Amino acid sequence: MNTIVTKFGGTSMADAEKFRKVAEIIKADERRKYVVVSAPGKRFKGDFKITDMFYLCYEKAEAGENIDALFSEITCRYNEIAEELDLPISLTYELERIKNAMYNMTGRDYAASRGEYLNAMILARYLGYDFIDAREAVFFNNDGTFNAEYTNDVMSARLKKHERAVIPGFYGAMPNGTIRTFSRGGSDITGSIVARAANAELYENWTDVSGFLMADPRIVDDPKVIETITYRELRELSYMGATVLHEDAIFPVQIAGIPINIRNTDRPQDRGTMIVADSTEYDTKNVITGIAGKKGFTAINIAKDMMNSEVGFGRKVLGVLEKRGISFEHLPSGIDTMSVIVKSSELAGRLEYILNGICQEAAPDSINAEDGIALIAVVGRAMVKSKGTAAKVFKAIAEADVNVKMIDQGSDELNIIIGIEESDFEKAVRAIYKEFVN
Ligand code: ADP
Ligand code: ASP
Ligand code: MG
């Protein structure tokens, strides 16, 4: 029988009622053999994610504060789920152990990972599935990077021993056995790792929206669902802020060519979005596939006469950033000017120092930095075949009275990136959406 790997996000696992929905979905198709879960998310507006509560517990314990009250809130949430599901399990021992570990400074990542660990234990018991601790099958290298091949070997061998299992997302182990997590939202990556290791026919990612939407639903009202999207388009959009799937979740399934299906736990009847390797069999009527964007960038603008004919000018500028471990996002340039777009958070506290460094290394005529820049990516595999896409983007932006500060188009014509002022961000996203979608 073929296998489907399912991953349920935090909002899909927030309380007992959601657990029942999740179990119904899993039981509806017996190919759904391996299940990856997040920690319980928000149950209502203003509620707390368990992961955030664990982070807070760790910080308090580190500061020598008492965590009893906060920890008992976490305990209540798990107990409530277990009790409402009538599960004959007691988490008291596990929770005591975790609390002691926090007082003993077992690590920030350890603390955060317990959210998924406990949730996976409860779901495994509820479904009657085995529990596989991700600590025993997901591995990181000493430098903190993910060890993909070793993980795949161990995870594949481990899955063969379990016909059906629940695996906590988000974390794994360092070579010395301590817990390490992926970045926030990282359970999506675990789901992808398990799908590859299980040689699954499909990786289903269940969340609280009916698929990948053409724009962020918090900015555009009721955006259209994208029916099919390629791995590459999705990576562009995820990287640029479409947070529905972690941007690194693509890699494990891409190696194995496994499609991802984004689905809605509250509306299982909706088909959701298919994320596929190759688009040739999935033609699209739309010129653009989606729009995403992020705030928080700084443009370092550099001018020097005859810059274009000065051999090595760009290298000198980028060398200054490299020496300080700063990566850049975009590099639009003219004959006598270039701009380097960098995340403002990477420059925090050292901007002057970097500008001085560039002055010393590259001796520009002028240099300045402009923060408060937002980037918007307009992404579409069909753009390469259709004329006038950029013109349409700029018409929409101009009509919305938004000033464009930077333009960049990837050489593969998969995306157009524009830089604007942060205060214009939402307005610009809405204007571009309206121009392309009616
Ligand atoms: P989960 O808890 O299931 O992992 P996330 O909160 O990580 O869910 O991701 C789902 C959320 O992503 C949606 O509720 C939505 O607010 C947000 N989102 C942002 N951009 C998009 C987009 N383009 N399409 C769908 N959802 C998006
Ligand atoms: N629980 C983790 C987080 O909140 C991981 C995840 O949900 O994917 O980031
Ligand atoms: Mg998520």
Side-chain angles (χ1 to χ4, degrees), residues 260-324:
I260 308 175
N261 188 196
I262 308 278
R263 301 283 293 268
N264 189 343
T265 305
D266 290 319
R267 293 186 52 87
Q269 67 276 25
D270 293 351
R271 285 165 51 207
T273 300
M274 285 300 287
I275 306 165
V276 295
D278 188 2
S279 64
T280 45
E281 53 192 291
Y282 298 96
D283 222 7
T284 170
K285 299 174 281 308
N286 303 329
V287 176
I288 66 161
T289 304
I291 308 160
K294 279 203 279 206
K295 295 180 180 175
F297 295 93
T298 296
I300 300 176
N301 304 313
I302 304 158
K304 187 175 190 182
D305 282 347
M306 310 288 285
M307 181 191 287
N308 64 330
S309 54
E310 184 179 326
V311 176
F313 185 85
R315 182 186 51 74
K316 287 178 201 157
V317 171
L318 296 181
V320 174
L321 297 178
E322 187 183 351
K323 255 187 247 155
R324 285 140 186 104

Side-chain angles (χ1 to χ4, degrees), residues 345-365:
S345 56
E346 292 214 40
L347 295 170
R350 46 186 185 160
L351 181 60
E352 280 310 313
Y353 176 58
I354 283 155
L355 297 185
N356 284 340
I358 295 174
C359 286
Q360 274 169 20
E361 293 290 326
D365 296 338

Side-chain angles (χ1 to χ4, degrees), residues 7 9-12 38 188 206-209 211-218 241-244:
K7 177 258 170 180
T11 40
S12 304
S38 287
D188 292 331
W206 293 81
T207 181
D208 62 348
V209 276
F212 212 99
L213 306 172
M214 284 189 75
D216 190 328
R218 292 162 295 190
T243 53
V244 65

Side-chain angles (χ1 to χ4, degrees), residues 4 6 8 12-13 15-33 35 37 85 123 126-129 164 166 204 206 263-269:
I4 295 176
T6 57
F8 292 88
S12 304
M13 301 289 300
D15 56 27
E17 194 196 322
K18 292 283 175 135
F19 266 67
R20 289 196 194 96
K21 281 190 184 172
V22 164
E24 220 172 278
I25 290 168
I26 294 167
K27 300 276 158 130
D29 189 331
E30 45 169 39
R31 291 172 301 168
R32 294 181 176 134
K33 291 188 244 172
V35 183
V37 294
L85 296 176
L123 185 68
Y126 187 51
L127 294 171
Y129 279 26
R164 293 173 184 277
V166 179
E204 287 177 344
W206 293 81
R263 301 283 293 268
N264 189 343
T265 305
D266 290 319
R267 293 186 52 87
Q269 67 276 25

Side-chain angles (χ1 to χ4, degrees), residues 3-154:
T3 302
I4 295 176
V5 169
T6 57
K7 177 258 170 180
F8 292 88
T11 40
S12 304
M13 301 289 300
D15 56 27
E17 194 196 322
K18 292 283 175 135
F19 266 67
R20 289 196 194 96
K21 281 190 184 172
V22 164
E24 220 172 278
I25 290 168
I26 294 167
K27 300 276 158 130
D29 189 331
E30 45 169 39
R31 291 172 301 168
R32 294 181 176 134
K33 291 188 244 172
Y34 301 115
V35 183
V36 173
V37 294
S38 287
K42 293 181 185 180
R43 295 159 295 181
F44 45 83
K45 222 173 162 218
D47 193 19
F48 293 102
K49 279 181 155 194
I50 287 282
T51 309
D52 292 324
M53 292 167 84
F54 271 120
Y55 277 126
L56 192 59
C57 263
Y58 177 76
E59 276 154 30
K60 278 177 175 281
E62 198 185 26
E65 289 175 36
N66 187 296
I67 60 168
D68 289 358
L70 187 56
F71 205 85
S72 70
E73 278 182 49
I74 296 177
T75 307
C76 276
R77 279 200 60 182
Y78 284 110
N79 282 341
E80 220 172 87
I81 295 173
E83 275 163 27
E84 280 186 36
L85 296 176
D86 274 336
L87 288 182
I89 58 169
S90 166
L91 297 169
T92 316
Y93 168 73
E94 282 292 343
L95 284 157
E96 266 314 298
R97 220 165 50 115
I98 294 169
K99 190 161 127 186
N100 287 334
M102 292 219 195
Y103 276 125
N104 292 323
M105 301 288 101
T106 319
R108 191 169 182 271
D109 283 13
Y110 168 83
S113 73
R114 298 302 88 184
E116 336 315 89
Y117 172 80
L118 293 165
N119 229 20
M121 273 190 156
I122 299 176
L123 185 68
R125 182 57 87 85
Y126 187 51
L127 294 171
Y129 279 26
D130 296 340
F131 169 81
I132 300 176
D133 191 347
R135 172 184 229 158
E136 294 159 13
V138 174
F139 302 103
F140 293 87
N141 298 306
N142 270 325
D143 64 1
T145 52
F146 170 55
N147 189 339
E149 294 315 311
Y150 182 53
T151 295
N152 191 50
D153 291 347
V154 176

Side-chain angles (χ1 to χ4, degrees), residues 210-228:
S210 287
F212 212 99
L213 306 172
M214 284 189 75
D216 190 328
R218 292 162 295 190
I219 300 175
V220 171
D221 279 341
D222 203 16
K224 280 196 180 164
V225 173
I226 301 170
E227 275 176 36
T228 46

